Amino acid sequence: MRIGILSAGGDCPGINAAIRGVGKTAIVEYGMEVYGISNGFTGLITKDVVLMDEKQLSGILTYGGTILGTSRMKPFKHQDGDLVENKPQTIKQNYEELGLDALVCIGGNGTQKTAALLTKEGLNVIGIPKTIDNDVWGTDITFGFDSAVWIATEAIDRLHTTANSHKRVMVIELMGHTAGWISLYSGMASGGDIILLPEIPYDMNIVADVLLERYHVGKPYSIVVVAEGIMKSKKKSAGQEIAQQINKMTGLETRETILGYIQRGGSPSPFDRLLATNYGAHAAELISKKKFGYMVSMRDNKTTEVPLDEVGGRLKLVEPDNELIERGRHMGVCFGDKK
Ligand code: F6P
């Protein structure tokens, strides 16, 4: 069999581990031919592909980013400046001309949606979920998330000491445009005092009251963890906006930090390496069984798969009754909705 692998959407730690997992299993265990496709779905339109042997897949396990490159191009969505071209048709034609028997799409929500649509077009597709945001429906976890939580947690740990020295309120903005998983996990792991998530509407009066109460009982500093997606307005970043409002409403000296792309770069954590390897190997196994139209996933600590058409267009958000939120509330963490 001949398979193609691509990575699409925002990068994250662990993509290379997944490429290696698919490629090595496909070559070593199943004797398949493996083509790497450049820059997401763009490479399938421009036929930018390269035959990969096992040696090329060695030594990439620990690398961040993706050796294949990525892009946010969505073939089923017409974007400004596009040539008048039927991209799905071109992809289909190139898939056939390249003699591919299957296509592995490593990506987040958008990619899994495209993978589902390509399945409908008759292509043999397997999806592998990746994103630091951990918001792909149909899996308990995506790789990239654990690494991002490590980085964010370390950053917040470092803010604690400087906040304490200066008796300041430190606001840190973390990634998560729709889902607050990174903020919830790293906020709880680093002892954040206030954690604001896109899934829980917050009230600035409550945030200000909690900070003033902390100040008045002699707690010299506070850490406020904010997910980037808590505000729909794009005028200012959520971190800047919240820090400014806190300062205005409380008079407390406040600083903000926007962690940004540091969360997405660098080497994957051991957990993400293992998860990505597992997903990659499972994808190759599904292809060997000609079981197409699925996204590999993790459910209750077991590697499994879920139909792509169930995943496409859905998001896995933090439920307000999430156990970690409950635990936090019982320990005095404020989520912006109540004291
Ligand atoms: O990878 C997901 C994500 O990190 C989001 O949380 C963030 O909004 C987005 O990517 C930004 O990425 P880019 O600037 O590459 O579109």
Side-chain angles (χ1 to χ4, degrees):
M1 287 178 96
R2 179 178 293 177
I3 69 169
I5 309 175
L6 62 80
S7 51
D11 75 337
C12 75
I15 300 179
N16 288 323
I19 294 169
R20 174 180 174 271
V22 183
K24 285 207 173 201
T25 311
I27 295 168
V28 177
E29 176 68 14
Y30 300 114
M32 296 174 185
E33 241 177 25
V34 175
Y35 278 84
I37 299 161
S38 297
N39 306 325
F41 294 100
T42 305
L44 259 186
I45 290 173
T46 56
K47 263 199 185 168
D48 192 355
V49 302
V50 57
L51 180 63
M52 301 179 96
D53 61 20
E54 204 234 328
K55 256 201 262 161
Q56 281 162 285
L57 295 161
S58 286
I60 62 169
L61 173 66
T62 60
Y63 289 175
T66 162
I67 57 163
L68 296 176
T70 185
S71 72
R72 290 200 182 273
M73 201 278 284
K74 297 185 169 80
F76 289 87
K77 208 169 168 187
H78 189 81
Q79 280 150 336
D80 279 354
D82 275 358
L83 295 171
V84 182
E85 174 193 24
N86 186 339
K87 289 183 192 153
Q89 191 51 41
T90 309
I91 287 179
K92 222 169 136 178
Q93 195 180 319
N94 289 342
Y95 174 91
E96 273 153 27
E97 283 177 13
L98 290 165
L100 295 179
D101 297 299
L103 175 68
V104 178
C105 301
I106 304 172
N109 283 302
T111 305
Q112 303 310 328
K113 195 171 171 185
T114 303
L117 293 169
L118 288 175
T119 301
K120 279 207 183 98
E121 292 286 326
L123 271 57
N124 297 330
V125 185
I126 295 293
I128 299 184
K130 68 103 186 78
T131 164
I132 63 165
D133 291 344
N134 196 34
D135 60 354
V136 178
W137 191 90
T139 185
D140 292 345
I141 192 147
T142 56
F143 64 80
F145 174 61
D146 182 68
S147 306
V149 169
W150 267 92
I151 298 161
T153 301
E154 210 222 326
I156 303 170
D157 288 350
R158 287 174 185 274
L159 288 180
H160 274 272
T161 57
T162 172
N164 194 6
S165 308
H166 289 266
K167 322 284 179 251
R168 282 174 174 159
V169 176
M170 286 291 187
V171 176
I172 180 162
E173 178 191 304
L174 301 175
M175 277 189 170
H177 55 295
T178 45
W181 293 106
I182 300 175
S183 296
L184 175 61
Y185 274 56
S186 55
M188 286 296 289
S190 60
D193 305 303
I194 298 181
I195 301 174
L196 304 182
L197 311 176
E199 293 89 342
I200 302 180
Y202 64 94
D203 179 340
M204 257 337 273
N205 294 311
I206 292 173
V207 171
D209 279 358
V210 169
L211 291 170
L212 284 173
E213 276 167 24
R214 284 178 55 81
Y215 177 78
H216 290 307
V217 297
K219 294 190 173 165
Y221 73 96
S222 296
I223 301 287
V224 182
V225 181
V226 166
E228 66 174 325
I230 58 162
M231 259 170 223
K232 297 304 154 218
S233 137
K234 293 277 175 222
K235 267 191 241 144
K236 224 184 273 167
S237 79
Q240 284 173 323
E241 181 68 37
I242 294 291
Q244 222 173 66
Q245 286 187 32
I246 287 172
N247 181 256
K248 213 163 108 193
M249 293 171 79
T250 65
L252 297 170
E253 195 178 8
T254 308
R255 294 284 189 275
E256 80 268 0
T257 299
I258 297 164
L259 196 56
Y261 294 90
I262 289 167
Q263 285 158 102
R264 244 166 61 177
S267 187
S269 66
F271 178 88
D272 277 339
R273 294 179 197 183
L274 296 176
L275 183 64
T277 299
N278 207 341
Y279 279 169
H282 191 57
E285 198 181 313
L286 291 177
I287 294 169
S288 78
K289 292 179 182 155
K290 297 193 168 48
K291 191 167 175 183
F292 302 120
Y294 288 86
M295 180 187 82
V296 300
S297 82
M298 189 63 76
R299 283 292 171 104
D300 301 324
N301 269 334
K302 286 207 171 61
T303 317
T304 180
E305 62 280 340
V306 51
L308 274 168
D309 59 3
E310 281 181 28
V311 178
R314 291 165 91 171
L315 280 175
K316 185 189 71 186
L317 301 177
V318 177
E319 298 287 344
D321 64 349
N322 180 290
E323 193 177 53
L324 208 47
I325 294 181
E326 290 302 310
R327 300 281 186 231
R329 287 195 198 282
H330 294 167
M331 298 167 75
V333 178
C334 171
F335 289 88
D337 54 340
K338 52 186 161 189
K339 283 200 228 169

